């Protein structure tokens, strides 16, 4: 589906900048924002403000300005800009998710302009669309907006003189995050004119990141946590020429993400990289433990020395020791010559041991010795050899449980567990999905010589709501499959992505009890209202308990009370689960979980 909204342009392809007010006659018309306003609730009884199912915060613009100034003074312009840009980015992602729900029945354009409208509603300033043209399937996006009275500029100008750099960082992060989530492709908005530079209004332009030239490299640094685009820290960041195109080669080797939990992992990796500490990566299969291990190696002083990876589970138990520690000639029949083990091959560098929990008891003992003494002994050898290897281990099992069960040595566990780093499963950091989609689309287009333009809206929707039990690796596999199956120069659809078992139709989906996709069409949430008898029985017993009234002396079960409250809340909210959740002061996911685990609602299947 293609959506074009255009106003007359000048020869440079821009609408001439005119004072606010005169723009009004040419701006793109936004729909009434009453539907958005209706999602905003002040719950004064418990001190919460809700925007749909997201808790919001009303803060003073001036206090934000003070925080901003102090961040700039203490951390420097670049670091402060990075923090605020990413903060805005996440807000944009959340609002785009809401836009899909609130305007699911309207045109795509109306759904998209939830972004600029929320900008206004959230008090950021007025946003006018001058030129908005996007096509989700063809992977095209061009947006040009004018911002007047932006809160960030007001605060910037209050503390700093007019300069030659734009200052609407949080806001540009918001626009980029919103559009990226909406398109399922990495979109970058840049502020080409800004009131903090002396212009009468701020003008922002957005395109897919790969359509920008080198100037985007600078700006992507503020959106992506830095190790993604290279080894440098944002503090005293490197010149753009060294950083590399973000959507290009560099991205293919490093981890990919923007979510807070992803950033936290990257931060820990950066901290520990320059040391000699043993690191233990924890997390489900497919979360990218080896990718982080490689990044750690690249950021360490050993980066010019070998990085050797071993998947302990992939090597038969009787071979693992010779594989790791090497074999001396004549050690056993057939050992005609000496062979280096992985430890010796990694000498001076890093050895990555994946699925460490599967090591045999004997191999565990030898590994402990390397970690303690820095020495190995080849199979069949009579003397020891010293090696200088940094060990990074990884596991998807709970090693403490393995220790308890007697399958893993406790002393080895403590040796390995010096610096544990847990990588969050993808379903708990969904903000990373659009970026991963862009990343793998580019990668496999190039690898297979294909030219997929992007994803259909339906595919974007499905990918953003799917549970990804196989994590990043599953995203990668699914997109590679899509790139191969979809017709060239076209968009990847759900049928190209999910071919085996997952059922995708025309509906929207969400995660059900088993971690599977289920239809989230509101009409399929069927809740039976409580019966009069149930209400009567439970309330009588509650009264007995609370007020000591006579009559029925049976015990009252908390479970029954909760079930009744849940049913009643859904009834009062006319089946709107988010509204029912608000009535009970819990989040929508908590509500859904409770309703489903009690069998109160059923997925419409
Ligand atoms: Zn500005």
């Amino acid at each position: 589906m293609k959506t074009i909204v255009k106003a007359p342009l000048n020869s440079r392809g821009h609408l001439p900048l005119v004072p606010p007010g005169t723009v009004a006659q040419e701006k793109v018309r936004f729909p009434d924002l009453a539907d958005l306003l209706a999602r905003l609730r002040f719950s004064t009884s418990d001190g919460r403000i809700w925007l749909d199912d997201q808790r919001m915060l009303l803060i003073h613009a001036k206090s934000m300005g003070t925080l901003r100034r102090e961040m700039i003074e203490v951390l420097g312009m670049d670091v402060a800009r990075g923090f605020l840009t990413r903060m805005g980015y996440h807000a944009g992602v959340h609002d785009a998710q809401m836009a899909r729900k609130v305007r699911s029945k309207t045109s795509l354009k109306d759904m998209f302009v939830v972004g600029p409208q929320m900008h206004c509603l959230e008090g950021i300033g007025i946003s006018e669309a001058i030129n908005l043209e996007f096509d989700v399937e063809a992977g095209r996006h061009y947006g040009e907006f004018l911002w007047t009275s932006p809160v960030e500029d007001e605060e910037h100008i209050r503390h700093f003189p007019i300069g030659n750099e734009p200052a609407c960082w949080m806001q540009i992060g918001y626009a980029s995050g919103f559009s990226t989530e909406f398109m399922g492709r990495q979109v970058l908005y840049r502020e080409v004119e800004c009131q903090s530079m002396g212009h009468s209004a701020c003008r922002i332009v957005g395109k897919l990141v790969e359509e920008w030239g080198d100037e985007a490299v600078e700006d992507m640094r503020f959106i992506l946590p830095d190790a993604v685009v290279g080894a440098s820290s944002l503090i005293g960041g490197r010149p753009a020429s060294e950083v590399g195109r973000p959507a290009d080669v560099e991205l293919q080797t490093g981890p990919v993400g923007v979510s807070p939990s992803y950033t936290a992992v990257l931060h820990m990796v950066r901290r520990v990289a320059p040391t000699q500490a043993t690191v233990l990566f924890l997390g489900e299969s497919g979360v990218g433990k080896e990718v982080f291990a490689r990044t750690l190696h690249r950021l360490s002083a050993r980066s010019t020395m070998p990085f050797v990876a071993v998947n302990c589970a992939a090597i038969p138990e009787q071979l693992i020791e010779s594989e790791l520690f090497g074999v001396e000639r004549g050690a056993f029949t057939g050992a005609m010559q000496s062979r280096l083990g992985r430890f010796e091959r990694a000498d001076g560098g890093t050895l990555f041991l994946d699925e460490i929990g599967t090591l045999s008891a004997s191999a565990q003992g030898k590994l402990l010795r390397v970690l303690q003494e820095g020495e190995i002994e080849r199979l069949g050898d009579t003397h020891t050899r010293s090696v200088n290897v940094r060990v990074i281990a990884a596991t998807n099992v709970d090693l403490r449980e393995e220790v308890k069960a007697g399958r893993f040595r406790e002393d080895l566990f403590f040796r390995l567990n010096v610096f544990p780093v847990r990588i969050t499963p993808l379903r708990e950091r969904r903000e990373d999905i659009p970026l991963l989609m862009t990343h793998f689309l580019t990668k496999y287009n190039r690898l297979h010589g294909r030219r997929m333009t992007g994803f259909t809206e339906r595919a974007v929707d499905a990918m953003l709501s799917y549970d990804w039990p196989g994590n990043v690796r599953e995203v990668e596999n699914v997109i590679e499959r899509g790139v191969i199956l979809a017709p060239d120069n076209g968009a990847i659809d759900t049928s190209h992505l999910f071919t085996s078992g997952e059922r995708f139709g025309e509906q929207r989906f969400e995660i059900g009890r088993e971690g599977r996709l289920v239809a989230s069409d509101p009409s399929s949430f069927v809740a039976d209202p409580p019966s009069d008898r149930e209400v009567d029985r439970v309330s009588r017993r509650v009264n007995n308990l609370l007020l000591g009234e006579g009559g029925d002396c049976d015990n009252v079960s908390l479970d029954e009370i909760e079930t009744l409250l849940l049913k009643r809340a859904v009834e009062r909210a006319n089946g709107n689960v988010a509204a029912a959740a608000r009535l009970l002061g819990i989040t929508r996911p908590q509500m859904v979980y409770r309703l489903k685990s009690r069998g109160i609602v059923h997925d419409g299947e």
Side-chain angles (χ1 to χ4, degrees):
M1 214 181 295
K2 197 170 159 190
T3 302
I4 301 182
V5 185
K6 262 201 165 130
L9 303 178
N10 67 13
S11 56
R12 295 199 340 261
H14 294 321
L15 190 81
L17 189 56
V18 283
T22 45
V23 177
Q25 62 204 16
E26 286 170 330
K27 74 180 176 184
V28 174
R29 195 179 293 276
F30 291 163
D32 190 354
L33 51 70
D35 55 345
L36 302 177
L37 209 48
R39 303 264 163 165
L40 186 63
R41 296 268 191 99
F42 290 84
S43 175
T44 50
S45 61
D46 61 354
R48 288 186 168 86
I49 305 171
W50 295 99
L51 177 63
D52 197 42
D53 58 358
Q54 297 289 316
R55 187 171 176 176
M56 302 295 283
L57 185 61
L58 197 59
I59 60 168
H60 292 259
K62 278 186 177 163
S63 74
M64 197 278 290
T66 306
L67 171 71
R68 196 176 176 283
R69 189 196 72 216
E70 290 190 13
M71 283 170 75
I72 292 171
E73 284 170 356
V74 174
L75 303 169
M77 208 72 152
D78 276 3
V79 179
R81 180 171 171 181
F83 284 134
L84 289 169
T85 306
R86 288 194 290 278
M87 179 181 168
Y89 190 95
H90 292 297
V93 168
H94 284 305
D95 281 358
Q97 287 165 353
M98 187 190 65
R100 287 177 179 280
K101 280 193 283 178
V102 180
R103 302 246 169 103
S104 61
K105 302 250 181 334
T106 64
S107 71
L108 266 188
K109 188 215 86 186
D110 282 0
M111 198 192 281
F112 185 85
V113 299
V114 166
Q117 289 191 294
M118 287 311 302
H119 222 83
C120 173
L121 193 59
E122 288 170 10
I124 311 289
I126 294 286
S127 186
E128 293 169 12
I130 295 174
N131 190 353
L132 175 61
E133 180 174 342
F134 62 86
D135 186 334
V136 175
E137 290 189 19
R140 285 194 297 107
H141 185 100
Y142 184 83
E144 198 172 341
F145 293 83
L146 270 191
W147 286 340
T148 41
S149 67
V151 65
E152 241 178 322
D153 274 332
E154 260 176 33
E155 288 306 315
H156 189 84
I157 292 163
R158 217 156 58 81
H159 295 286
F160 298 97
I162 298 295
N164 51 14
E165 280 184 55
C168 299
W169 303 331
M170 208 168 65
Q171 298 168 216
I172 212 79
Y174 181 97
S176 301
F178 186 95
S179 310
T180 298
E181 176 77 14
F182 193 88
M183 293 288 297
R185 300 284 301 269
Q186 183 68 51
V187 176
L188 174 69
Y189 269 82
R190 304 185 68 234
E191 194 174 12
V192 294
E193 291 169 8
C194 180
Q195 292 185 13
S196 294
M197 295 160 72
H199 297 102
S200 59
C202 304
R203 179 196 293 276
I204 65 161
V205 173
K207 296 190 262 190
L208 293 187
V209 68
E210 57 267 33
E211 287 169 9
W212 285 102
D214 288 340
E215 65 266 50
V217 171
E218 264 305 301
D219 287 6
M220 277 308 282
R221 283 195 311 147
F222 302 112
I223 290 180
L224 302 175
D226 51 317
V228 171
V229 283
S232 84
S233 151
L234 269 177
I235 298 174
R238 293 181 297 165
S241 56
E242 285 179 35
V243 180
R245 298 273 312 262
D248 217 83
V249 191
E250 285 285 348
L251 264 186
Q252 303 208 350
T253 54
V256 177
V258 288
S259 64
S261 57
Y262 166 88
T263 313
V265 170
L266 213 49
H267 177 73
M268 290 180 83
V269 166
R270 276 230 324 269
R271 269 293 165 87
V272 77
T275 72
Q276 296 302 322
T278 303
V279 177
L280 178 62
F281 284 107
L282 306 165
E284 293 177 8
S285 297
V287 288
K289 296 188 283 284
E290 180 169 342
V291 182
F292 279 106
R294 285 183 188 276
T295 302
L296 199 162
H297 173 73
R298 212 172 63 223
L299 299 179
S300 76
R302 296 169 178 264
S303 60
T304 57
M305 302 302 281
F307 175 90
V308 177
V310 184
N311 183 348
C312 301
I315 300 169
E317 198 177 322
Q318 59 273 26
L319 295 183
I320 187 77
E321 286 181 45
S322 60
E323 197 59 43
L324 290 178
F325 307 107
V327 182
E328 191 63 14
R329 188 154 59 105
F332 47 79
T333 323
M336 304 295 282
Q337 48 189 333
S338 303
R339 190 156 50 85
L340 291 185
R342 304 284 179 112
F343 267 99
E344 282 177 90
R345 277 190 242 164
D347 201 12
T350 307
L351 181 65
F352 175 63
L353 297 174
D354 201 0
E355 307 220 35
I356 190 97
T358 63
L359 276 189
S360 66
S362 153
Q364 289 179 29
K366 292 190 173 168
L367 174 58
L368 182 66
R369 179 162 165 199
V370 192
L371 293 174
Q372 282 171 340
E373 320 286 344
E375 285 177 350
I376 59 147
E377 200 171 295
R378 291 180 186 171
L379 251 64
D381 204 356
T382 48
H383 65 284
T384 57
R385 296 158 201 269
S386 56
V387 286
N388 169 18
V389 171
R390 181 189 201 172
V391 171
I392 302 177
T395 179
N396 56 15
V397 299
D398 186 344
L399 285 184
R400 274 177 214 280
E401 287 299 317
E402 294 298 291
V403 170
K404 257 188 230 162
R407 286 189 292 265
F408 202 82
R409 292 179 67 130
E410 188 171 31
D411 44 9
L412 179 58
F413 170 68
F414 286 124
R415 270 277 161 183
L416 292 172
N417 202 36
V418 178
F419 197 89
V421 179
R422 183 170 297 281
I423 306 172
T424 322
L426 189 57
R427 63 183 170 278
E428 289 169 25
R429 48 180 173 106
R430 292 180 178 277
E431 306 97 300
D432 293 342
I433 297 174
L435 196 63
L436 289 166
M437 288 165 68
T438 301
H439 169 66
F440 291 126
L441 183 70
T442 311
K443 177 175 172 180
Y444 287 107
N445 260 342
R446 193 170 306 164
L447 189 70
H448 298 301
R450 308 275 290 165
R451 284 193 305 277
M452 297 305 129
T453 52
F455 302 88
T456 63
E457 295 153 49
R458 199 165 55 161
V460 172
D461 229 23
M463 296 200 73
L464 293 179
S465 53
Y466 182 54
D467 202 23
W468 301 113
N471 292 297
V472 178
R473 190 181 301 138
E474 190 180 9
V475 178
E476 176 163 12
N477 293 344
V478 159
I479 291 179
E480 181 173 16
R481 185 161 63 189
V483 168
I484 293 170
L485 287 178
D488 219 350
N489 294 316
I492 299 176
D493 199 4
T494 45
S495 60
H496 308 124
L497 293 169
F498 300 93
T499 54
S500 55
E502 307 94 336
R503 295 194 297 121
F504 286 90
E506 298 295 327
Q507 290 171 290
R508 300 173 54 79
F509 295 87
E510 65 170 21
I511 311 310
R513 254 167 305 188
E514 318 288 340
R516 285 243 177 78
L517 275 186
V518 294
S520 70
D521 177 356
S523 65
S524 68
F525 268 121
V526 184
D528 306 322
S531 69
D532 290 346
R533 264 187 68 185
E534 188 182 357
V535 175
D536 186 52
R537 188 183 70 239
V538 175
S539 57
R540 205 172 56 237
R541 291 181 185 178
V542 169
N543 279 340
N544 288 348
L545 186 70
L546 291 180
L547 309 171
E549 288 175 2
D552 199 336
C553 291
D554 287 346
N555 290 338
V556 60
S557 115
L558 200 54
D559 200 52
E560 267 184 306
I561 299 173
E562 193 177 326
T563 304
L564 179 61
L565 287 175
L566 291 167
K567 284 182 178 174
R568 189 61 107 195
V570 175
E571 189 188 13
R572 288 271 151 85
N574 295 320
N576 181 331
V577 178
R582 274 195 300 271
L583 283 175
L584 298 175
I586 58 180
T587 65
R588 186 181 181 280
Q590 285 169 339
M591 185 77 184
V592 171
Y593 174 79
R594 285 180 157 87
L595 290 174
K596 287 185 178 172
S597 62
R598 280 155 201 279
I600 298 174
V601 295
H602 325 280
D603 311 325
E605 291 192 17

